[in-house]
Amino acid sequence: MKTIKRIGILTAGGDSPGLNAAIRAVGKTAIRDFGWDVIGFRDGYLGLAENRFVTFDKATLAGILTIGGTVLGTSRDKPHRMTIKGKECDMTDVIAANYRKNKLDALVCIGGGGTHKNALRLIEKGLRVVTLPKTIDNDVPFTDSTIGFDTALSIATEAIDRLHSTAHSHHRIIIAEVMGHNAGWLALGAGIAGGADAILIPEVPYDVRKVAAAILLRSERGNNFSIVAVAEGAKSVSDSALFDAALKKKKAAKTKEQKDVAKQELAALEGKHVGNTMRLAKELEQLTKLEARVSILGYVQRGGTPSCADRLLATRLGSACAHLLAQGAESVMVAARGDGYTTVPIEKVAGTLKLVPSNHTWIASARGVGTCLGD
Ligand code: F6P
């Protein structure tokens, strides 16, 4: 086992509250407990490719625990397909060279699905990488939770709470669009916690007539308003079938041409799906004759100070990460498990998503309190 003297940290993918708490925990533990040098790369994998970094010490790691976003900056750049001076380049070898030039003994990548796929690409080039799971979507598998989810859940819940009084006053349907393209954890969690009357998530294709029927039933019972929490990736039964078919085609594609065609088909479907929540509002208006409004919560869910739970999670996992590295960990994600942590091979995490299973307790609870899931 090679003794560690110097580590690098980067944050990649969409930002989320708690990233700074994680950087601080990895860095402080590395410096205080092990005396390592710690540097942080700017803007995710892009900064590593361009060798842009800052040196951390106890002073520069102080005062960032409660700050939202990431002091390092982030990007969605992929090592193997990076736009450099307007040209798409494979930068994996450059990244490996920068890792060595900086005499790094390990790299800590904090991110979600894309970050794990990219971490694997660097491991294949011989880099020692350990990851931490973060995303407000909570869709990283093999971890109880991801850094940022709890904060986003609170923000979305508060928004739904606030939408209640205005929906009630105007006798309207208000649709709160919550983030989550593939996974519905945020919409489902906030919908349940905020008491939404209908919750639509990507994992449960919806029939708009069923949502309208649930709203009309509420009207008949004297509740002339309704709140619908909808994940941005929620789809009707027919749209969902089209997406499934295109995804199947992409998976089955063997040649580059077939892959390109399948990718184009998927991109066209994605393009058509943009604005789906607005169309849903129109359809509900037509079917219920009630006025409908849309509130897109958007990036508000990712911004601002992290919740106590996210600060705790990030500090727990970040500190554990430094200790695990000292014990020789490599090619693993440090995952939350109960009050503690566990390690999961990055190979297992990369390319998989944690979706809401149909038998999940949250689904059962939502149905239990009479929430319409559109199915
Ligand atoms: O992955 C987190 C997330 O916030 C998703 O919920 C959302 O769909 C996406 O990022 C938005 O990405 P971007 O920041 O690239 O617009």
Side-chain angles (χ1 to χ4, degrees):
M1 185 174 75
K2 195 173 174 258
T3 329
I4 293 183
K5 290 202 180 95
R6 190 169 158 86
I7 64 166
I9 305 175
L10 62 81
T11 52
D15 72 332
S16 74
L19 277 172
N20 290 323
I23 294 169
R24 170 182 176 269
V26 176
K28 280 201 168 185
T29 311
I31 295 168
R32 296 170 63 92
D33 286 3
F34 305 109
W36 301 338
D37 288 337
V38 182
I39 63 171
F41 290 96
R42 300 266 190 209
D43 307 330
Y45 293 103
L46 180 68
L48 183 52
E50 295 177 338
N51 205 27
R52 290 187 286 116
F53 63 87
V54 287
T55 304
F56 281 130
D57 55 28
K58 281 184 202 159
T60 47
L61 286 166
I64 62 170
L65 171 69
T66 61
I67 300 172
T70 158
V71 289
L72 285 175
T74 186
S75 76
R76 292 196 186 274
D77 287 272
K78 304 174 177 77
H80 67 303
R81 268 198 350 238
M82 229 170 234
T83 307
I84 306 283
K85 291 186 187 141
K87 254 184 72 188
E88 195 177 278
C89 312
D90 183 346
M91 298 296 279
T92 35
D93 286 328
V94 176
I95 284 177
N98 283 340
Y99 175 93
R100 293 191 178 105
K101 190 161 121 188
N102 284 301
K103 296 194 174 11
L104 293 182
D105 301 304
L107 178 69
V108 178
C109 301
I110 314 173
T115 304
H116 283 87
K117 282 198 224 168
N118 293 325
L120 192 59
R121 291 187 176 107
L122 302 189
I123 291 166
E124 282 158 6
K125 289 280 172 189
L127 274 58
R128 180 169 171 195
V129 183
V130 169
T131 60
L132 295 181
K134 76 83 214 169
T135 162
I136 64 159
D137 293 352
N138 198 34
D139 59 1
V140 177
F142 310 112
T143 179
D144 288 356
S145 186
T146 54
I147 298 163
F149 175 61
D150 182 75
T151 312
L153 191 59
S154 306
I155 296 169
T157 302
E158 197 201 323
I160 292 173
D161 284 352
R162 288 179 182 276
L163 291 172
H164 262 94
S165 58
T166 169
H168 181 261
S169 306
H170 284 267
H171 320 297
R172 280 173 176 159
I173 301 166
I174 295 197
I175 306 178
E177 188 191 277
V178 179
M179 274 188 169
H181 265 302
N182 301 300
W185 295 106
L186 206 47
L188 183 59
I192 295 172
D197 305 295
I199 303 174
L200 309 179
I201 60 172
E203 294 88 337
V204 183
Y206 64 83
D207 178 343
V208 68
R209 287 164 308 182
K210 298 215 168 134
V211 184
I215 291 170
L216 286 173
L217 189 64
R218 279 177 50 77
S219 295
E220 275 167 31
R221 290 175 178 161
N223 295 311
N224 226 7
F225 75 97
S226 283
I227 300 286
V228 182
V230 54
E232 58 188 336
K235 293 171 193 79
S236 65
V237 175
S238 54
D239 283 354
S240 183
L242 292 175
F243 268 88
D244 284 350
L247 276 169
K248 225 169 149 184
K249 204 164 160 186
K250 192 177 157 218
K251 265 195 189 151
K254 297 226 159 50
T255 64
K256 188 180 172 317
E257 285 72 31
Q258 286 172 338
K259 277 186 193 151
D260 286 348
V261 171
K263 269 190 199 163
Q264 274 167 17
E265 274 182 31
L266 256 180
L269 284 175
E270 293 282 3
K272 272 174 105 177
H273 191 259
V274 174
N276 188 58
T277 308
M278 304 306 288
R279 286 191 291 279
L280 176 68
K282 279 269 154 297
E283 286 171 338
L284 287 176
E285 272 191 346
Q286 278 159 12
L287 292 166
T288 63
K289 311 289 176 237
L290 285 168
E291 233 182 1
R293 293 284 191 273
V294 171
S295 215
I296 297 178
L297 306 189
Y299 295 91
V300 165
Q301 295 160 100
R302 278 194 353 209
T305 188
S307 66
C308 312
D310 272 329
R311 293 178 205 182
L312 253 169
L313 178 66
T315 306
R316 266 193 315 122
L317 297 188
S319 179
C321 174
H323 280 272
L324 286 163
L325 276 171
Q327 289 158 26
E330 58 184 307
S331 309
V332 291
M333 172 178 83
V334 184
R337 190 59 41 84
D339 271 347
Y341 58 85
T342 186
T343 55
V344 187
I346 291 174
E347 205 179 14
K348 223 172 133 186
V349 182
T352 43
L353 279 180
K354 183 174 80 176
L355 301 179
V356 180
S358 54
N359 60 355
H360 195 270
T361 50
W362 288 10
I363 296 262
S365 317
R367 291 196 201 279
V369 294
T371 310
C372 167
L373 297 181
D375 59 345

